[in-house]
Amino acid sequence: MGGRVKYFESSDSAIKREINEELGIECNKVQFVTTIQNFFEYQNTSIHEILFMYKLDLDEHIKNIPNNHNQNNIDYVYVNLTDIPELDIRPEKAKEIILKQIDIQPLFIDRNSTK
């Protein structure tokens, strides 16, 4: 899932709004993890993406979320943590953070990824 932070909106407010808009869930247990700056080329355009990573507690809601869904041309699927090593998640640093739950620094910069 993804989305955009609106003008004058904090990133934690944005993630709560996006979860509500895309999944219909009120999520208040939101914990900031880190920020990743990602530089890549996409369709002959140089992109600078700023990714805010959050850890969410959706356990009480997960049974109400369809496993695979398309709403407003937004595709999402949830997977078990054990399935993540086989998935192509970019930037790679995000996948590493999810899998290893490494002792993270406040900011990562990834200039070598492609999307």
Side-chain angles (χ1 to χ4, degrees), residues 5-31:
V5 177
K6 293 180 178 180
Y7 198 58
F8 287 113
E9 181 180 43
S10 65
S11 62
D12 62 328
S13 293
I15 191 68
K16 291 175 187 178
R17 177 183 49 78
E18 288 289 341
I19 292 292
N20 187 283
E21 288 176 0
E22 295 180 17
L23 300 178
I25 294 173
E26 294 288 333
C27 181
N28 294 315
K29 297 178 182 177
V30 175
Q31 178 185 351

Side-chain angles (χ1 to χ4, degrees), residues 53-67:
M53 291 188 68
Y54 283 88
K55 182 177 180 179
L56 308 174
D57 182 356
L58 298 177
D59 289 341
E60 64 188 68
H61 302 288
I62 204 75
K63 64 181 175 277
N64 299 324
I65 302 172
N67 184 36

Side-chain angles (χ1 to χ4, degrees), residues 26-100:
E26 294 288 333
C27 181
N28 294 315
K29 297 178 182 177
V30 175
Q31 178 185 351
F32 176 76
V33 175
T34 193
T35 303
I36 300 173
Q37 289 191 69
N38 186 22
F39 297 85
F40 58 93
E41 295 288 325
Y42 181 72
Q43 296 182 347
N44 297 320
T45 302
S46 296
I47 305 290
H48 177 196
E49 172 184 68
I50 300 174
L51 173 65
F52 296 96
M53 291 188 68
Y54 283 88
K55 182 177 180 179
L56 308 174
D57 182 356
L58 298 177
D59 289 341
E60 64 188 68
H61 302 288
I62 204 75
K63 64 181 175 277
N64 299 324
I65 302 172
N67 184 36
N68 194 353
H69 184 66
N70 181 310
Q71 175 184 332
N72 302 324
N73 294 321
I74 300 169
D75 292 315
Y76 65 85
V77 60
Y78 65 84
V79 297
N80 291 320
L81 215 57
T82 56
D83 296 329
I84 290 177
E86 306 304 318
L87 299 176
D88 181 16
I89 297 175
R90 297 181 191 181
E92 282 288 326
K93 185 56 75 173
K95 183 175 182 177
E96 178 184 344
I97 290 167
I98 293 167
L99 285 174
K100 296 181 181 176

